[in-house]
DNA sequence: TCTTTCGTCAACCATTCGGTTGACTACGAC
DNA sequence: GTCGTAGTCAACCGAATGGTTGACGAAAGA
């Protein structure tokens, strides 16, 4: 798994964890409160929380024997940035399609329409 | 895994697959072209593509014995919507924090500061 | 002190995942 | 027809995942 972006995506690939995150946008909650709606043991919920925590999506403090869970919304930015970067590129290319087609028409004598490995991929690896 | 949102997140939780998506923003590519930069077999790449395809992130056509891979950027919107929905809620709550604190001060006689199950979670389940 | 509540840790289990190798199909070229 | 190229399918393997149960720790209340 290694990098944070992978961990964040993986964490949100589980519906239960997504639901927890959703509910945490309404305010901090204890493990018991979070576990209540689901038909699974508290241990399972505890594991889910560990996954969310390791992805940096939540933090946990201490209140007597309670462990309140707090959502760290900033991590969303990591995903949003990644998504936006590549969506933009895809859309740009899509909008340039007519231009490309025209160019391809011109270049018909020159037969290398190489399109395969295009831009620099650059996996962000989080700054 | 079941729902599409889960499949999309899961698909992007792998660095290799994210890199493929990134490269596909530069234009369609064949399996061989996609496989080239990685130190894994073409079969492995084929599997990755199946995951991306089942998530709706790519589609594949037929060109003789070649199977060009095409990025479907619209699926990004699914994620973006989910993320934005809950980020907004989280930020709203954060900005309302002072108001909440004030209200909490007023409500001190009334001792139900219930915060646990707050808003309606509503797992989108893709329309 | 004893008990209850809230939560974690550890061990186990079935399933999924990312990778491999080997066999196979589909098409173009010779 | 035969060969080479592009790709998939199937079986297998080790590691990770999501769940369970059971035991334990830490703090509040009796």
């Amino acid at each position: 798994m290694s990098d944070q972006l992978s961990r964040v995506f993986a964490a949100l690939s589980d519906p239960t964890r997504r639901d927890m995150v959703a509910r945490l946008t309404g305010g901090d909650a204890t493990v018991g409160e979070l576990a209540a709606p689901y038909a699974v043991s508290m241990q399972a919920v505890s594991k889910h929380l560990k996954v969310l925590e390791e992805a940096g999506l939540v933090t946990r403090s201490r209140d007597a024997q309670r462990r309140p869970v707090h959502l760290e919304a900033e991590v969303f930015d990591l995903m949003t940035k990644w998504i936006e970067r590549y969506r933009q590129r895809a859309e740009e290319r899509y909008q340039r399609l007519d231009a490309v087609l025209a160019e391809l028409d011109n270049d018909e004598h020159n037969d290398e329409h190489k399109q395969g490995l295009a831009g620099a991929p650059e996996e962000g690896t989080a700054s």
Side-chain angles (χ1 to χ4, degrees), chain A:
Chain A
M1 195 78 58
S2 60
D3 66 304
Q4 189 182 14
L5 196 48
S6 295
R7 283 194 298 265
V8 173
F9 277 122
L12 293 179
S13 74
D14 184 286
T16 303
R17 285 192 296 257
R18 274 203 311 282
D19 190 55
M20 288 183 193
V21 168
R23 286 168 53 213
L24 283 169
T25 60
D28 297 3
T30 66
V31 179
E33 284 167 345
L34 283 171
Y38 313 120
V40 299
S41 64
M42 199 186 310
Q43 288 94 321
V45 172
S46 197
K47 279 195 187 181
H48 280 306
L49 286 173
K50 193 142 93 177
V51 173
L52 290 173
E53 191 176 19
E54 278 165 1
L57 277 159
V58 306
T59 53
R60 319 166 76 175
S61 43
R62 180 112 235 175
D63 168 25
Q65 74 267 55
R66 237 151 275 114
R67 303 290 315 276
V69 182
H70 175 75
L71 184 64
E72 295 293 335
E74 307 85 57
V75 188
F76 283 163
D77 296 344
L78 211 77
M79 280 187 296
T80 309
K81 267 181 201 151
W82 190 90
I83 294 168
E84 284 310 310
R85 167 144 73 130
Y86 293 115
R87 186 175 43 181
Q88 252 180 41
R89 297 232 302 217
E91 276 167 5
E92 271 168 28
R93 191 177 63 85
Y94 185 69
Q95 283 160 13
R96 260 188 292 125
L97 191 58
D98 47 349
V100 169
L101 285 175
E103 194 197 338
L104 202 141
D105 209 35
N106 291 343
D107 287 5
E108 229 158 32
H109 62 287
N110 175 3
D111 99 321
E112 50 172 5
H113 307 144
K114 53 177 174 180
Q115 50 162 359
L117 303 216
E122 297 145 24
E123 175 72 21
T125 324
S127 56

